[in-house]
Amino acid sequence: MKRILIAEDDVDIRQALVDLLEGEGYGVTAVGDGEKAIDAWRTAKEPFDLLLLDVMMPEKSGYDVCRTVRAAGSSVAVLMLSAKGAEIDKVVGLELGADDYVTKPFGVRELLARIAAALRRSAPQKTSDLAADDFDFACAAVSVKRYCLQGAKGSEPITDIEMKLMRAFAAHRDEVLSRDALLNAVWGQDYFGTTRTLDQHVANLRRKLEKVGGKSQSIGTVHGVGYRYNPGDASIGISRG
């Protein structure tokens, strides 16, 4: 049974979400504010598989919860819910490490599909699917087990989406990948979101590469099409130890 933590301050919406998700066979814990969400996440006897966070809540917002979870190095799936539909609000959530963003009001089938897709993306990969060793990406080293990007200037935690993006790029070095191809490879063919979500995750990955001393320009934009990964011939110049 997949376990979902709901943080929603509207009592009616919270109960409707509980009824819906329990009816779909999920194990559900529901709280009414961000502070309680953080406490529930930290003290859970069994880890949650997905956090469903309303953005605007008392005590702490959904943004605050997402920031806290990602700062702790957790790669749990995070889905943001909000009545705020402005692009900048979505960008903030994605920059903080959310996997997806659903704007209220939303359809039940859409929400269930997004939850299922987020859970599939965050599911642990089989050992055979994982690289035996860390791999190099844009003059940085990627730790598969620690979900960490390391370069000459330091290290940065990475999300599951960023890991999958780097794998997709590395598997198609020097090839132009369309946005639709990347969405299918990373989010799955039943993803309901837009290419803006992809663009924001690529922007976040570029920033992290630059912070650790990697080559952010290795992921080039092909206007009107998508992206091309070209790491060049530069050496990493760091120790993996």
Side-chain angles (χ1 to χ4, degrees), residues 59-233:
E59 304 301 329
K60 290 185 181 294
S61 69
Y63 293 147
D64 294 326
V65 178
C66 185
R67 183 185 295 109
T68 299
V69 168
R70 292 300 186 232
S74 173
S75 60
V76 63
V78 175
L79 191 63
M80 308 293 285
L81 294 176
S82 178
K84 303 175 72 175
E87 182 177 11
I88 185 62
D89 298 314
K90 297 180 181 181
V91 169
V92 170
L94 295 173
E95 285 183 336
L96 292 173
D99 296 281
D100 205 352
Y101 199 112
V102 182
T103 303
K104 301 175 184 177
F106 47 80
V108 169
R109 296 179 69 178
E110 176 187 356
L111 178 63
L112 291 175
R114 286 178 182 257
I115 288 174
L119 287 170
R120 284 196 299 273
R121 294 193 299 269
S122 64
Q125 294 174 289
K126 297 178 181 178
T127 303
S128 59
D129 294 335
L130 296 175
D133 301 307
D134 297 346
F135 64 95
D136 299 338
F137 189 88
C139 297
V142 182
S143 172
V144 174
K145 293 182 179 180
R146 295 189 296 117
Y147 272 73
C148 179
L149 187 67
Q150 184 178 354
K153 295 182 180 179
S155 63
E156 282 285 318
I158 54 176
T159 67
D160 187 60
I161 291 292
E162 290 162 351
M163 175 75 81
K164 290 179 179 178
L165 273 174
M166 286 188 284
R167 286 192 180 280
F169 281 128
H172 299 276
R173 177 172 173 162
D174 292 326
E175 296 180 25
V176 177
L177 295 176
S178 71
R179 285 177 169 81
D180 286 340
L182 285 167
L183 284 172
N184 289 340
V186 177
W187 280 267
Q189 293 186 355
D190 56 355
Y191 178 60
F192 279 80
T194 67
T195 57
R196 180 58 182 147
T197 299
L198 166 66
D199 294 339
Q200 190 56 52
H201 280 290
V202 171
N204 291 345
L205 180 56
R206 283 170 170 163
R207 279 193 289 272
K208 291 182 180 182
L209 286 167
E210 189 170 354
K211 280 185 179 181
V212 303
K215 295 174 62 181
S216 61
Q217 68 273 22
S218 295
I219 305 174
T221 300
V222 181
H223 295 289
V225 182
Y227 297 95
R228 177 195 286 118
Y229 170 57
N230 183 356
D233 298 323

Side-chain angles (χ1 to χ4, degrees), residues 8-97:
E8 166 63 65
D9 63 321
D10 186 295
V11 176
D12 293 334
I13 295 177
R14 184 168 69 245
Q15 188 58 52
L17 288 170
V18 170
D19 293 342
L20 171 66
L21 296 179
E22 286 185 341
E24 292 294 317
Y26 294 111
V28 180
T29 298
V31 297
D33 62 65
E35 190 69 54
K36 292 178 181 177
I38 293 173
D39 289 341
W41 172 72
R42 285 176 171 165
T43 60
K45 293 182 180 180
E46 296 182 30
F48 291 103
D49 299 289
L50 182 140
L51 309 185
L52 191 59
L53 307 175
D54 183 37
V55 171
M56 302 303 295
M57 293 187 291
E59 304 301 329
K60 290 185 181 294
S61 69
Y63 293 147
D64 294 326
V65 178
C66 185
R67 183 185 295 109
T68 299
V69 168
R70 292 300 186 232
S74 173
S75 60
V76 63
V78 175
L79 191 63
M80 308 293 285
L81 294 176
S82 178
K84 303 175 72 175
E87 182 177 11
I88 185 62
D89 298 314
K90 297 180 181 181
V91 169
V92 170
L94 295 173
E95 285 183 336
L96 292 173

